[in-house]
Amino acid sequence: MKLKKLFNYFFKSEKAGGLILLIGTFISIALSNSSLSNKYLSIWHHSIGNHTIEYWINDGLMTIFFLLIGLELKREVCIGELSNIKEATLPIIGAIGGMVVPGLLYISLNLGTKTHSGFGIPMATDIAFAIGILSLLGNKVPLSLKVFLTALAVIDDIGAIVIIAVFYTKTIYFTNLLISLSIFGVLILIRKLKVKTLFWYLIGGFFMWYFMLHSGVHATITGILLAFAIPFGDGTENTHSYKLQKWIHKPVAFLIIPIFVLNNTAIIIGKDWLSSLSETYSLGIIIGLCIGKPLGILSFIFLAVKLKLTKLPKEFKWSQLIGLGFLGGIGFTMSIFITLLAFDDNQIINNSKFMILIASFFSGGIGFIWLKISNSSKKDLDY
């Protein structure tokens, strides 16, 4: 019951959070293309210390976002959908397909070009928007379908984290990296010594973040490491992991991510935006998210079921999985985040963000309509 209570709390927060992100996106784009454009854009480029506000958002605040992802992932692995290998197989295989196929489609269009590094962009799924749209269908969608989408999106986030750590680290300063990882080791040690005071983990996490920030590896990875260092216990409401997840969930959903979106959707839509649709990286992003995601998720699950590696829950319908596949094509936050790491050219970054928005809204719209129709129909695809 407590796990269900936490999931419902999480689900409701994501529903409201998705709506706020949508509103924030429209506001940011509107301001960026108005007479206030220069003043609005200058806000994010204002310096605090030696870095801009944009830098502190992407490398500082987003670490807390990744801490939340890590806590959610750890809960899923310990007592959630990923704790039972039989139940976890379905979303794991679906998530792998949803990363591999979009990535390959992007690479096939951009191999040998200067934009080949953007292959990770269409591999990501925005959990807030995906669940937010699914929630609009209300009680017509079975809880198991919502849990499946959550698990798939969490696994997708794991893939994004690995991609960021492995492929988007350009120069490594090994001394700082070693210090950061040593602090992580100390946190693991004090956890084994059953030190339960959360303060020491948070202090250690701060210093781990500082040295990771100066190591060349993206500092947000610290959030994931810290989440796995914090004691989980039995996962009940009295544990530090549960309390911390609940404490930071609303600030992340209603403050940190909206700030990230306001900053990173400050997209200037030029008069030639239509011509940018024909760029190979634009096609890679749109095709990857709109076609690659549903194709990858459904095809990998289909093969796994046929090979008897897993099976669909009784309340699942194949037609519903197609709809979920399209919802998986909502890249948004994570796709934008990877864009900032993949490219250096501001024009390409600006255009890529716009393509992500187009693809995400297109995928989300199709997913919503498809699920609405499939849920009202008693028939299902016969495989």
Side-chain angles (χ1 to χ4, degrees), residues 133-167:
I133 290 179
L134 188 63
S135 68
L136 295 177
L137 295 167
N139 296 328
K140 292 182 179 180
V141 178
L143 180 61
S144 58
L145 205 64
K146 299 173 183 177
V147 173
F148 172 80
L149 178 60
T150 302
L152 184 141
V154 168
I155 297 165
D156 200 293
D157 285 338
I158 300 172
I161 292 160
V162 172
I163 289 168
I164 290 170
V166 175
F167 296 103

Side-chain angles (χ1 to χ4, degrees), residues 9-288:
Y9 168 82
F10 169 80
F11 188 79
K12 290 176 182 177
S13 295
E14 293 297 341
K15 177 180 179 180
L19 180 60
I20 289 175
L21 296 190
L22 188 63
I23 295 171
T25 299
F26 282 119
I27 291 174
S28 186
I29 292 177
L31 288 173
S32 299
N33 294 274
S34 70
S35 59
L36 299 173
S37 177
N38 289 335
K39 291 183 179 179
Y40 179 66
L41 295 175
S42 68
I43 292 174
W44 310 114
H45 298 136
H46 180 76
S47 292
I48 297 178
N50 296 323
H51 299 288
T52 63
I53 291 176
E54 180 180 33
Y55 176 88
W56 290 119
I57 291 170
N58 295 334
D59 288 66
L61 288 181
M62 286 300 284
T63 302
I64 303 175
F65 166 71
F66 276 85
L67 171 59
L68 179 62
I69 288 178
L71 291 170
E72 291 167 352
L73 170 60
K74 190 172 183 178
R75 178 165 292 276
E76 288 290 328
V77 170
C78 292
I79 59 174
E81 283 295 295
L82 305 181
S83 61
N84 185 312
I85 189 62
K86 289 184 178 180
E87 294 178 0
T89 301
L90 190 68
I92 288 174
I93 291 175
I96 292 173
M99 290 184 283
V100 171
V101 174
L104 290 176
L105 286 173
Y106 183 96
I107 286 293
S108 68
L109 291 167
N110 290 271
L111 189 63
T113 70
K114 65 177 182 179
T115 54
H116 70 275
S117 58
F119 69 90
I121 298 171
M123 296 172 72
T125 295
D126 188 297
I127 190 170
F129 263 124
I131 292 180
I133 290 179
L134 188 63
S135 68
L136 295 177
L137 295 167
N139 296 328
K140 292 182 179 180
V141 178
L143 180 61
S144 58
L145 205 64
K146 299 173 183 177
V147 173
F148 172 80
L149 178 60
T150 302
L152 184 141
V154 168
I155 297 165
D156 200 293
D157 285 338
I158 300 172
I161 292 160
V162 172
I163 289 168
I164 290 170
V166 175
F167 296 103
Y168 295 116
T169 298
K170 298 175 182 178
T171 303
I172 298 178
Y173 299 94
F174 286 99
T175 300
N176 288 328
L177 179 60
L178 182 61
I179 293 173
S180 182
L181 294 178
S182 296
I183 295 172
F184 174 64
V186 171
L187 293 178
I188 295 295
L189 178 62
I190 67 171
R191 187 188 70 189
K192 290 188 176 295
L193 293 175
K194 298 185 178 180
V195 175
K196 296 181 179 180
T197 305
L198 188 59
F199 172 80
W200 297 114
Y201 293 95
L202 297 180
I203 289 294
F206 171 79
F207 285 105
M208 183 166 58
W209 169 82
Y210 175 82
F211 286 104
M212 189 70 77
L213 183 67
H214 295 88
S215 72
V217 178
H218 206 275
T220 51
I221 301 298
T222 309
I224 301 294
L225 296 178
L226 179 58
F228 276 83
I230 293 172
F232 183 79
D234 57 4
T236 60
E237 295 181 6
N238 296 321
T239 59
H240 288 310
S241 180
Y242 183 100
K243 289 179 181 178
L244 184 59
Q245 182 176 341
K246 192 170 183 178
W247 286 341
I248 68 174
H249 199 284
K250 285 190 176 180
V252 167
F254 301 116
L255 181 63
I256 292 175
I257 295 301
I259 289 175
F260 173 84
V261 167
L262 285 171
N263 171 28
N264 289 289
T265 57
I267 302 168
I268 298 175
I269 304 174
K271 294 180 181 179
D272 60 342
W273 70 270
L274 274 174
S275 63
S276 65
L277 289 171
S278 61
E279 297 286 350
T280 54
Y281 64 88
S282 298
L283 293 173
I285 291 171
I286 293 174
I287 293 174

Side-chain angles (χ1 to χ4, degrees), residues 317-333:
K317 295 193 294 185
W318 282 104
S319 56
Q320 290 174 324
L321 277 178
I322 295 175
L324 284 185
F326 279 107
L327 292 187
I330 305 174
F332 209 77
T333 305

